[in-house]
Amino acid sequence: MIVKMKKTALICLLSDKEAALDKLQELGIMHTEMTQLVESRERPALEQLTGKVDNIIGMLQSLGDGKKKAECKLSGKEVYEKASELAAKRAEIEKQLDKLQRDQDSLNPWGDFSRKLLTDLRSKGVNVYLCSGTKEDIGKLPEGTVYEVIRAGKNRIYFAVISETELDEGALPLAVLPDDISLKQAEDEIEKCRKNLEDIRKELIGLETGLPQLREYKEEIDEELDFFRVRDGMGGEGVFAYIKGFVPVPEIDKLTASAKEHGWALLIQDPTHDDPPPTLIKTPKIFNIAKPIFNFIGIAPGYYENDVSVVFLIFFTIFFGMIVGDAAYGVIFLILSLICKWVFRKNKAARLPINLFIVLSVTTIVWGALTGTFFGLPQNTIPDFMQGFNKLSNPDIKDKNIQFLCFLIAAIHLSFARTWKGILQWNWRSPGQLGWAIIIWGNFLLATKLIVFPEWTIPTPVFLWIYGVALFLILVFYVDWKNVGMVLNFPFSLMGSFVDVLSYIRLFAVGLSSFYIANSFNKMGSMVIKGQSGLALAGLIIVMVLIVLIGHFLNILLALMGVLVHGIRLNTLEFSNHMELEWAGVTYKPFKKRDQNSPDNENTDKKSIEK
């Protein structure tokens, strides 16, 4: 259910606007809108700080080594300051190290030599010039000079030019060398820098246990930043300041009572279609596990659209089970989910995603058991009690029946979207939605006849009646004949409805590919030990196990990718198109303080919403 909103404007004295915002933030019920955004001293500094804290959090997370460490006694701010200081020191040392390594590279061909010795020789009339170039460069040296090759590379020669007279340095291919350091000094400094970097790395790893405090500090900054953004976005007129936004209808009484208490003026209106109210979804508690899916893909229905989260969850669960398709994989998922549920039992944010994965795991087990699929093993190699439901596991009829089931799910899913849309909008166009639902069932029969069961004998008049009645309802009640684009697009919509039904065959195809990949890796493993015996067999068994384990691990990853691509697509594209959903919603995010109960999508004040 999408909770109804009221468009609200709160007016207070300009001198009291910060106090009013503080009270409004404590209420935590208004989704605010920016009237303007004036520059201020506080906001840019906080925006810069929150970015820096994010960088430090990311850095500490990447340095984690998984080892148990002593509990961090520092506050979040102290962790940030200490980590920032170490990061700045590390950056300076890395810059120094980069210069030293360049110096080392340029000095390496010459070995360790004394610049003082070269200076002393020059004072005694022996001029030594260190050069690098090609054989052609050596041939162009001034007369009366001698040279000594120090090192010859593939493309470059390093040599010393010796002369009793001073030479024009511009005429020589002089090597570019640092003046202030020798090779030995560079190597010593490099070693020192690396040791310092390792010490800093260890200190930063030690700060990893301060991540909870650091995240809390980040939340404090974000809360303060949110306050200043809203403050800087308030409108003003003379001695008055005002803020606009949206408040859930069940929370209006709270806002009204607070306005009376603090002397604010309120303007409360019903939003119009020109307004962009945020979307607040209230689902029954049992279906709250749908929220992680929407959070992951980052979509929300528009305020004037319909909440399909329950239907989305039900069919996504079915799609997940069919795409992964292996009961053994489902058992693995379930065990991992239960372990995570115990390990993260105190983490409220992890509760819904883990519960969702438990449900998905059970669905996978059920489907795998029905089809008799366990680690991609052939049907004749598993016990009788694991053979599954005959019509879904018998190799002779299994594929046909699953294809039929895919088209049946398509018909139910898509026709439900059309029928539900017709009931929800309930106007003169509703019979047109019924016509589309009938079209979909006609497409189901046609797809089944053409692809799955060609032997079906469905009389032609049946199709004529189905499509005839459906087209009559659509053309009379659905098509807007004044809308040229809709009229021209109608034939393509008809073809698209058939393609949408066919699209559900992907559930069979992806599930089948998962089975054959698992089966292929099993065969590869068995081929390794085929015909072997003795010690060779013992060694190759280890190789076989590794091949099978790696193969199944990769197959699980591919199956999960298949869920993301296909399981989500069937809901967000095919179903949503027939439900006429655009997913253009803005998620309701109230202006509130941290850890505060408010009726947002993640933490809903149940009593208030149900009132």
Side-chain angles (χ1 to χ4, degrees):
M1 177 187 77
I2 295 178
V3 179
K4 295 298 182 184
M5 294 280 168
K6 288 288 186 180
K7 183 180 177 182
T8 308
L10 183 151
I11 306 168
C12 64
L13 291 173
L14 190 63
S15 58
D16 291 338
K17 75 175 185 177
E18 291 203 9
L21 282 182
D22 189 59
K23 295 296 181 184
L24 189 63
Q25 196 174 27
E26 284 182 8
L27 278 177
I29 57 176
M30 181 184 281
H31 179 102
T32 58
E33 283 191 325
M34 298 290 180
T35 302
Q36 57 184 354
L37 191 61
V38 299
E39 291 302 321
S40 68
R41 179 174 53 84
E42 301 92 345
R43 197 181 77 252
L46 285 171
E47 287 173 342
Q48 189 176 24
L49 179 58
T50 192
K52 289 179 178 178
V53 175
D54 269 334
N55 290 338
I56 295 297
I57 289 173
M59 179 186 69
L60 294 181
Q61 285 176 331
S62 66
L63 288 171
D65 56 6
K67 294 179 181 177
K68 192 172 182 180
K69 306 174 189 70
E71 185 180 349
C72 182
K73 301 294 185 182
L74 302 176
S75 67
K77 185 177 181 181
E78 289 170 335
V79 172
Y80 164 71
E81 289 174 346
K82 179 68 174 173
S84 296
E85 181 185 340
L86 290 170
K89 195 180 295 184
R90 182 177 68 174
E92 186 62 34
I93 294 173
E94 286 174 342
K95 183 179 177 182
Q96 182 185 355
L97 179 61
D98 183 59
K99 180 183 180 302
L100 287 167
Q101 286 173 332
R102 290 199 305 271
D103 290 345
Q104 183 188 37
D105 290 341
S106 61
L107 289 167
N108 262 330
W110 306 97
D112 197 29
F113 63 92
S114 170
R115 289 188 174 278
K116 185 176 180 301
L117 177 60
L118 296 181
T119 304
D120 291 344
L121 288 172
R122 179 165 293 190
S123 67
K124 294 176 182 179
V126 179
N127 299 287
V128 180
Y129 302 92
L130 303 180
C131 302
S132 68
T134 61
K135 289 181 179 179
E136 289 76 10
D137 292 320
I138 293 175
K140 296 176 183 177
L141 292 175
E143 293 183 6
T145 61
V146 294
Y147 69 91
E148 182 70 29
V149 174
I150 307 300
R151 181 171 298 180
K154 186 177 181 181
N155 300 314
R156 185 161 289 274
I157 301 171
Y158 301 89
F159 56 96
V161 177
I162 305 162
S163 173
E164 293 180 354
T165 60
E166 286 193 21
L167 302 176
D168 178 12
E169 293 186 354
L172 296 173
L174 293 176
V176 179
L177 297 173
D179 296 325
D180 56 348
I181 195 168
S182 69
L183 180 59
K184 180 67 169 62
Q185 289 171 328
E187 289 172 345
D188 291 343
E189 288 297 316
I190 287 172
E191 185 61 30
K192 184 179 176 181
C193 286
R194 285 174 176 163
K195 184 180 181 305
N196 290 339
L197 286 175
E198 180 60 21
D199 291 340
I200 290 174
R201 190 183 74 86
K202 288 177 180 177
E203 284 193 72
L204 287 171
I205 289 174
L207 290 174
E208 183 198 1
T209 54
L211 276 171
Q213 295 96 309
L214 191 57
R215 292 190 182 101
E216 189 174 342
Y217 177 54
K218 170 71 164 50
E219 289 175 2
E220 291 171 5
I221 298 168
D222 287 343
E223 180 184 316
E224 193 174 358
L225 178 59
D226 196 24
F227 179 90
F228 287 117
R229 279 176 179 160
V230 174
R231 185 202 66 180
D232 296 343
M234 289 181 72
E237 192 70 42
V239 297
F240 297 104
Y242 61 89
I243 183 170
K244 296 179 179 179
F246 297 90
V247 177
V249 169
E251 300 292 338
I252 286 294
D253 289 345
K254 275 188 188 178
L255 183 63
T256 305
S258 188
K260 288 179 181 177
E261 181 183 351
H262 299 104
W264 306 329
L266 289 178
L267 176 63
I268 300 174
Q269 301 171 302
D270 289 324
T272 66
H273 278 272
D274 294 329
D275 296 314
T279 303
L280 169 60
I281 297 176
K282 171 63 182 171
T283 56
K285 189 175 181 181
I286 192 173
F287 295 114
N288 276 347
I289 57 173
K291 291 178 181 177
I293 305 174
F294 292 100
N295 291 340
F296 177 77
I297 57 181
I299 59 173
Y303 178 75
Y304 297 105
E305 295 180 337
N306 304 113
D307 172 27
V308 297
S309 55
V310 174
V311 178
F312 193 113
L313 173 66
I314 291 170
F315 281 91
F316 176 77
T317 304
I318 295 170
F319 300 157
F320 186 99
M322 294 181 71
I323 288 171
V324 178
D326 194 299
Y329 291 173
V331 172
I332 293 172
F333 294 162
L334 183 60
I335 292 170
L336 291 175
S337 300
L338 294 174
I339 291 172
C340 289
K341 191 172 182 66
W342 184 82
V343 171
F344 299 106
R345 60 191 180 279
K346 295 181 181 179
N347 188 335
K348 292 181 180 179
R351 190 177 301 160
L352 288 180
I354 292 172
N355 288 343
L356 170 65
F357 213 68
I358 289 173
V359 172
L360 297 176
S361 302
V362 171
T363 308
T364 305
I365 294 170
V366 171
W367 178 255
L370 287 173
T371 57
T373 307
F374 297 85
F375 286 126
L377 295 170
Q379 203 76 22
N380 58 0
T381 62
I382 58 178
D384 290 343
F385 72 92
M386 297 169 64
Q387 294 285 334
F389 179 57
N390 184 60
K391 291 188 180 297
L392 293 177
S393 61
N394 186 333
D396 297 331
I397 58 174
K398 174 181 178 179
D399 289 353
K400 293 285 187 182
N401 286 335
I402 294 178
Q403 290 170 10
F404 172 79
L405 186 59
C406 289
F407 291 140
L408 180 61
I409 290 172
I412 294 170
H413 199 204
L414 300 180
S415 65
F416 177 79
R418 287 294 183 179
T419 307
W420 190 19
K421 179 68 177 177
I423 292 172
L424 289 174
Q425 70 181 22
W426 198 250
N427 54 28
W428 67 273
R429 294 187 66 194
S430 293
Q433 297 288 5
L434 177 61
W436 278 115
I438 296 172
I439 284 276
I440 289 164
W441 280 100
N443 293 339
F444 158 70
L445 291 175
L446 182 59
T448 304
K449 166 71 176 170
L450 293 175
I451 298 171
V452 186
F453 299 125
E455 65 275 12
W456 270 16
T457 53
I458 303 176
T460 301
V462 171
F463 284 109
L464 293 176
W465 272 102
I466 290 173
Y467 285 117
V469 171
L471 285 172
F472 172 78
L473 293 173
I474 294 170
L475 293 173
V476 172
F477 296 101
Y478 184 83
V479 175
D480 182 359
W481 293 96
K482 296 179 182 178
N483 187 333
V484 177
M486 189 177 191
V487 173
L488 294 177
N489 193 52
F490 177 64
F492 300 102
S493 297
L494 284 176
M495 289 186 286
S497 70
F498 182 68
V499 172
D500 287 343
V501 172
L502 291 181
S503 182
Y504 282 70
I505 199 70
R506 69 183 66 229
L507 298 172
F508 162 74
V510 179
L512 186 65
S513 66
S514 178
F515 169 80
Y516 278 116
I517 291 172
N519 185 258
S520 297
F521 276 106
N522 292 339
K523 289 179 179 178
M524 287 170 61
S526 64
M527 287 169 62
V528 171
I529 61 171
K530 190 174 182 180
Q532 301 295 327
S533 61
L535 291 175
L537 176 62
L540 289 173
I541 285 176
I542 298 174
V543 176
M544 177 197 74
V545 171
L546 286 174
I547 290 173
V548 172
L549 287 177
I550 293 171
H552 283 289
F553 177 73
L554 291 174
N555 193 32
I556 288 172
L557 291 181
L558 289 172
L560 294 177
M561 287 176 62
V563 171
L564 294 178
V565 174
H566 305 291
I568 289 178
R569 174 207 160 100
L570 290 174
N571 275 299
T572 57
L573 192 60
E574 277 82 357
F575 174 80
S576 297
N577 282 344
H578 287 269
M579 193 67 195
E580 298 177 358
L581 273 176
E582 295 182 3
W583 298 105
V586 176
T587 303
Y588 170 73
K589 292 181 180 178
F591 176 53
K592 66 184 182 71
K593 291 187 180 293
R594 290 188 310 127
D595 301 325
Q596 181 180 334
N597 276 339
S598 62
D600 57 16
N601 280 346
E602 296 299 325
N603 190 4
T604 304
D605 185 341
K606 186 175 179 181
K607 291 182 180 178
S608 175
I609 295 296
E610 290 178 350
K611 185 170 61 176

